[in-house]
Amino acid sequence: DLDGAKEGTRKNREIIFDIAKNTTLKVQTGGGIRTMNDIEDCLKNGISRVIIGSAAVKDPMFVKNVVLNFGDKIAVGIDEKRGAVAVEGWLENSGVSYLDLAKKMCENGVKYFIYTDIERDGMLNGPNHDKTKHLQKFASEYDVNVIASGGIKNIDDIIKLKKNSVYGAICGKSIYSGTLDLREAIAYCKKEI
């Protein structure tokens, strides 16, 4: 919910809950989630995983508390631009290194990161494979999984992410644009390498 992230409130709450309610999909959501009540509301309305973004930078103890309460139903979004974490819907540079945030979140018990190089998001020029691989290698020491987001174009990106031991990928524009066949990507990911 990028609108929610920018404004600090959950602007698309009902739409997201409708998707969870009316499909068999596992839905994760983020954007504007700032309180324990927001998280509880999401989980009781069928959301499988809740993504904490700006709040992870601004209040790391909040993340520690929600992980104690909700475990692996919590992910932290690491939206990175030129090495620093962007917050408030990517509008502000936090001045916090994405690797420093990752380390603190690993220590706080987080089990999933959604990593986005925001300069690549929606560009269809491939994710930042080097930073994603580096983050996954670091996070693996804490048994944390990285989900790559931003720039994924085609099956070649999926293949490279899997070879780099990256846990998952978020594919948006590549599906809308027809550069990635989702069935092919899922079939590939289910194969053992």
Side-chain angles (χ1 to χ4, degrees), residues 30 54 152:
S54 298
I152 294 165

Side-chain angles (χ1 to χ4, degrees), residues 114-179:
I114 314 296
Y115 168 74
T116 307
D117 178 334
I118 61 176
E119 291 187 309
R120 293 174 180 254
D121 194 63
M123 303 303 292
L124 294 177
N125 58 1
N128 190 324
H129 286 290
D130 291 337
K131 285 184 179 176
T132 305
K133 180 181 179 179
H134 182 71
L135 181 60
Q136 181 63 74
K137 185 176 180 182
F138 167 79
S140 294
E141 296 174 20
Y142 294 86
D143 197 28
V144 176
N145 295 305
V146 175
I147 300 169
S149 176
I152 294 165
K153 179 179 182 180
N154 55 34
I155 192 67
D156 294 335
D157 288 326
I158 301 299
I159 291 167
K160 188 167 186 176
L161 288 168
K162 186 170 182 184
K163 286 182 179 173
N164 288 338
S165 300
V166 175
Y167 173 79
I170 295 175
C171 307
K173 191 169 183 180
S174 58
I175 295 171
Y176 315 142
S177 301
T179 61

Side-chain angles (χ1 to χ4, degrees), residues 32 45-46 51 54 59-60 71 80 84 101 105 110 139 155 158-159 166 178:
N45 280 289
I51 307 164
S54 298
D59 189 358
E80 178 262 337
L101 178 63
M105 294 300 106
V110 172
I155 192 67
I158 301 299
I159 291 167
V166 175

Side-chain angles (χ1 to χ4, degrees), residues 11 31 54 74 82 87 107 134 141 153 190:
K11 292 294 190 185
S54 298
I74 302 298
R82 298 180 189 154
V87 294
E107 291 169 350
H134 182 71
E141 296 174 20
K153 179 179 182 180
K190 288 182 177 180

Side-chain angles (χ1 to χ4, degrees), residues 57-115:
V57 175
K58 295 180 175 191
D59 189 358
M61 286 308 296
F62 169 69
V63 176
K64 188 171 189 169
N65 289 331
V66 298
V67 169
L68 285 172
N69 282 284
F70 304 110
D72 63 3
K73 293 181 187 292
I74 302 298
V76 167
I78 300 178
D79 301 327
E80 178 262 337
K81 182 177 181 180
R82 298 180 189 154
V85 178
V87 294
E88 306 302 332
W90 304 348
L91 298 175
E92 295 178 23
N93 179 327
S94 69
V96 175
S97 157
Y98 80 102
L99 290 173
D100 288 346
L101 178 63
K103 184 174 192 296
K104 182 174 270 314
M105 294 300 106
C106 286
E107 291 169 350
N108 284 349
V110 172
K111 293 298 175 193
Y112 294 94
F113 292 144
I114 314 296
Y115 168 74

